[in-house]
Amino acid sequence: MFVYLGIALFAGFLLANQNPINAELRKNVNSPFWASTISQIIGVVFLGTTSLLLTGNLFPSAEFVQSHPVWIWIGGLLGPVYVTSNVFLFPRLGAVQTVIFPILGQIVTGVIIDSFGWFYAVQIPLRMMRVLGVLITILGLLIAVVLPSLNDKAKQLEPSSNLLPWRLWAIISGSFMAIQQAINGHLGFLLQRPIQASFMSFFIGLIAIFIITLLTERRLITRVELRKIKKWNMLGGIWGAFFVLGSVLAVPKIGAGLSIMMALLGQIVGSMLVQQFGWWRSGTYPLRLTQVIGVGIMLTGIVCIKFL
């Protein structure tokens, strides 16, 4: 069990490192959509090559596809929806709310999935201690993410008379991420090949994000933009691939809710280290005491959920 907790934690840590890499990639290609598409292509190539080397297979058989419900393939579509949503949410809600509301959706949806065993996830009864653990984890999240940002002068929102619909959509988009992890976990269980399941999720996601990019940008990426891409910019897609693989491995063993919370903890710790040391050419921001306290409280909540 501790192995899968560690896998989910490390997957979240890698995802935190993906963000500044993709931000640099976005500058080089002058488009958040093309940056996401390129990152997805790299993840597909990495997972596809690994799947071929380890299993000798890339796509599941026609018999497998016909004998299972269509919804097991939806997981790959939900990731691009989440990524695209953030592009539109950020200028309207600001940095903090764009992080908090989707995470709230992820945590709540993950707990609901576990409680009812949706998508054939491990069913975990909703006990009082589990509810308390979720609340403590959310409190730690708010302390670690919101408090350090209260004095951030860059937190400026677009003038709007009604932000409620955007906040609700932020929560829903976060819910999609939780559903994606649960579906991908079940797909990995059915295939008995986590690498192949991760590849299929990324491949389906690539088709979706490529269509979204063409409809939004209405242009192809230029050779000049491609030449600006640095070799280390490709790591973003690989880290994203490892995050999906970690979810496929962890969800069937420890449940969607706990996998999500461990990944979120890994993301926060990873983001703190990225900012502290300025990894991947990101800005350097000193670690704050409130962030450390928030992470400690999140750990307390996770202990309540899993061990008490």
Side-chain angles (χ1 to χ4, degrees):
M1 178 189 67
F2 288 103
V3 172
Y4 295 101
L5 289 172
I7 288 174
L9 181 71
F10 186 62
F13 173 82
L14 290 179
L15 194 63
N17 282 265
Q18 182 194 43
N19 293 333
I21 295 174
N22 283 354
E24 180 72 16
L25 177 61
R26 185 164 58 244
K27 293 177 184 177
N28 292 335
V29 299
N30 301 311
S31 166
F33 293 100
W34 275 116
S36 298
T37 302
I38 292 169
S39 181
Q40 197 83 6
I41 290 172
I42 294 167
V44 166
V45 172
F46 173 75
L47 288 171
T49 303
T50 306
S51 180
L52 283 174
L53 291 175
L54 295 181
T55 69
N57 292 301
L58 202 56
F59 297 98
S61 65
E63 181 183 357
F64 178 90
V65 174
Q66 294 172 2
S67 60
H68 290 90
V70 176
W71 62 261
I72 65 172
W73 310 108
I74 296 176
L77 298 176
L78 298 179
V81 173
Y82 174 78
V83 172
T84 306
S85 295
N86 283 347
V87 173
F88 294 99
L89 289 171
F90 186 84
R92 292 168 175 82
L93 298 182
V96 175
Q97 293 188 56
T98 301
V99 171
I100 290 300
F101 283 111
I103 286 178
L104 180 62
Q106 287 184 56
I107 292 176
V108 173
T109 305
V111 171
I112 293 174
I113 289 172
D114 285 348
S115 299
F116 294 97
W118 290 350
F119 310 111
Y120 295 94
V122 178
Q123 188 168 4
I124 304 173
L126 188 61
R127 298 175 288 105
M128 184 58 66
M129 187 57 68
R130 186 172 175 81
V131 174
L132 178 62
V134 170
L135 294 176
I136 292 174
T137 302
I138 293 175
L139 174 63
L141 173 69
L142 293 173
I143 293 174
V145 177
V146 176
L147 288 184
S149 304
L150 289 179
N151 297 323
D152 188 358
K153 295 181 180 179
K155 185 184 65 175
Q156 300 292 334
L157 307 180
E158 283 187 355
S160 176
S161 58
N162 185 14
L163 292 174
L164 180 60
W166 292 104
R167 288 168 178 151
L168 290 175
W169 180 251
I171 294 173
I172 292 171
S173 70
S175 299
F176 286 164
M177 284 296 289
I179 294 171
Q180 180 196 40
Q181 292 185 49
I183 291 175
N184 286 348
H186 184 58
L187 178 60
F189 173 78
L190 292 175
L191 287 171
Q192 293 297 304
R193 292 169 177 166
I195 288 287
Q196 189 180 31
S198 303
F199 165 77
M200 286 304 302
S201 177
F202 246 71
F203 181 76
I204 294 170
L206 172 60
I207 296 173
I209 194 66
F210 184 67
I211 293 173
I212 291 172
T213 298
L214 289 179
L215 291 175
T216 304
E217 294 287 327
R218 298 186 179 182
R219 69 175 181 90
L220 295 176
I221 191 169
T222 65
R223 290 185 179 180
V224 174
E225 290 170 335
L226 286 173
R227 291 193 190 102
K228 292 180 181 179
I229 299 175
K230 302 175 179 65
K231 292 181 180 179
W232 62 270
N233 291 155
M234 298 181 183
L235 288 174
I238 296 175
W239 294 163
F242 273 118
F243 174 77
V244 172
L245 176 60
S247 300
V248 171
L249 291 170
V251 169
K253 300 296 182 180
I254 61 176
L258 190 55
S259 296
I260 289 166
M261 279 181 266
M262 289 300 295
L264 291 174
L265 179 61
Q267 288 181 55
I268 292 174
V269 172
S271 297
M272 289 163 55
L273 292 174
V274 167
Q275 292 183 352
Q276 175 70 21
F277 298 105
W279 293 344
W280 315 113
R281 295 188 179 179
S282 62
T284 303
Y285 302 94
L287 190 63
R288 301 182 184 182
L289 180 60
T290 51
Q291 293 175 310
V292 178
I293 293 173
V295 169
I297 293 175
M298 287 185 71
L299 281 172
T300 302
I302 289 172
V303 169
C304 291
I305 293 170
K306 189 61 185 177
F307 302 106
L308 298 182

